[in-house]
Amino acid sequence: MSELIVSSTQLKDSVSRTVNETAITDIHTHLYAPQFGDFLLYGIDEQLTYHYLVAEVMRHSPLSYEEFWGLSKRQQAEHIWQVLFLEHSPYSEACRGVLTTLQHLGLEAKACNLEVYREWYRSYTRETLVDLVFQTANVKEVVMTNDPFDEAERSLWLSQSSDQLRKDARFHAALRLDPLLNDWPASSRKLREWGYDVKEDLLEGDERSIAEVTRFVTEWIGRMNALYVAVSLPNSFHYPFEDTRSLLMRHCVIPACSQADIPLALMIGVKRQVNPSLGPAGDMVGRADIEAVERLCWEFPNNRFLVTMLSRENQYELAVLARKFRNLMVFGNWWFLNTPSFIKEITQMRFELLGTSVIPQHSDARILEQLVYKWNHSRRVIASVLSEQYQKILDAGWPLEADDIKRDVADLLSNNFWRFIHRK
Ligand code: RAT
Ligand code: ZN
């Protein structure tokens, strides 16, 4: 029998130690393995020009959008540092994230200029920095976002052997299919260019096109050894619906997932480009239709769905839906919800409704070092919410042991994912 938890101080210490010491499987990031070369972003200039910060700087900046985008990356970073960090206090989540990262990497908080940081990076290679960051963040593995419709990424997968690209076992692939499901006219043209016999005017019963799209999806799952297929969907997503997306999901993507025995990840509720002048920072949130998820889980009981929703208003119904369907795994606090106050509220609600059967967080890191802050901030909240839940069962007389905490935390931060995708 392991150590019995008897006091609330001992409980808090044990939970926070366990959460910090448990290595994370980060199920959704935009990071790449070092073998992908320049695809992997890192460095102070990348951190400061993260699109979350671009949105924030433009609220203060005297520059027009065109002037800002006309600057080089280094100049954009300097501008953001000046405006968001030196002229105002950097306490927004995205600004504070940079500070947490600097602190944990042992760098000065408020350097007089960015050269100080740039200089520090010169002693690292991509590989050594990956090691340092994974160790500092205590992350053992991450899932990338791999888009076969991105010409540069596609040609890399086609030119290199995929064993070469998958050499670093800490990085796993996920096949991302936004263009296929959200812009069929353009993606059908591409598919034809690449030798798939598909019609732009896709109709129910067009067996040839359906078989060809399924072949495309299946080939890419295989090439990437994808752990899951993923798509982000607008808040206007409905299923079933009289549209090409429903048809492609029902007849191509979901069958390809079943055949490969992998889940489909749905990230629902993003209203893309409400302000295109902001570039990648111009996307908005919208409340989505939970019934679409309900219908999918019901229609495909033998498929599994990893689901995250962007709108706060969707969180409660999503958690309740997961009580109804065991083929639904709720994950993460996505994007604008990845802030301590929302993580706290949403995680607590999920723990109350779903116990330990959720994946509480993913990082969405786009820049390598963001693993450090995103997980540091999330871990703190998860540990505090978890302590409260344990305290309640202690109060009810439940004998809690340190090993129980270790088991639950390992499930939450890693094993639930591996079991859900049938790799454990
Ligand atoms: O969080 C983000 O960085 C967003 O820009 C998106 O990439 C989002 O996470 C997505 O995967 O679509
Ligand atoms: Zn993402």
Side-chain angles (χ1 to χ4, degrees), residues 1-15 17 387 390-405:
M1 184 165 142
S2 65
E3 185 195 359
L4 197 62
I5 307 293
V6 290
S7 74
S8 54
T9 328
Q10 185 197 3
L11 171 68
K12 281 189 190 140
D13 286 354
S14 172
V15 173
R17 196 170 350 99
S387 294
Y390 284 132
Q391 185 63 56
K392 291 174 199 160
I393 60 173
L394 281 182
D395 293 347
W398 183 255
L400 183 70
E401 293 178 33
D403 280 355
D404 300 336
I405 298 176

Side-chain angles (χ1 to χ4, degrees), residues 214-234:
T214 312
R215 175 167 74 90
F216 167 79
V217 178
T218 303
E219 282 172 4
W220 278 95
I221 291 173
R223 181 169 291 122
M224 293 173 171
N225 189 20
L227 296 186
Y228 59 81
V229 171
V231 60
S232 78
L233 294 160

Side-chain angles (χ1 to χ4, degrees), residues 209-259:
S209 295
I210 285 168
E212 285 289 90
V213 178
T214 312
R215 175 167 74 90
F216 167 79
V217 178
T218 303
E219 282 172 4
W220 278 95
I221 291 173
R223 181 169 291 122
M224 293 173 171
N225 189 20
L227 296 186
Y228 59 81
V229 171
V231 60
S232 78
L233 294 160
N235 60 311
S236 59
F237 166 60
H238 296 293
Y239 183 92
F241 200 64
E242 294 294 308
D243 62 1
T244 314
R245 183 196 283 128
S246 264
L247 203 152
L248 288 165
M249 282 178 97
R250 175 180 282 142
H251 296 297
C252 309
V253 176
I254 296 179
C257 288
S258 330
Q259 207 195 333

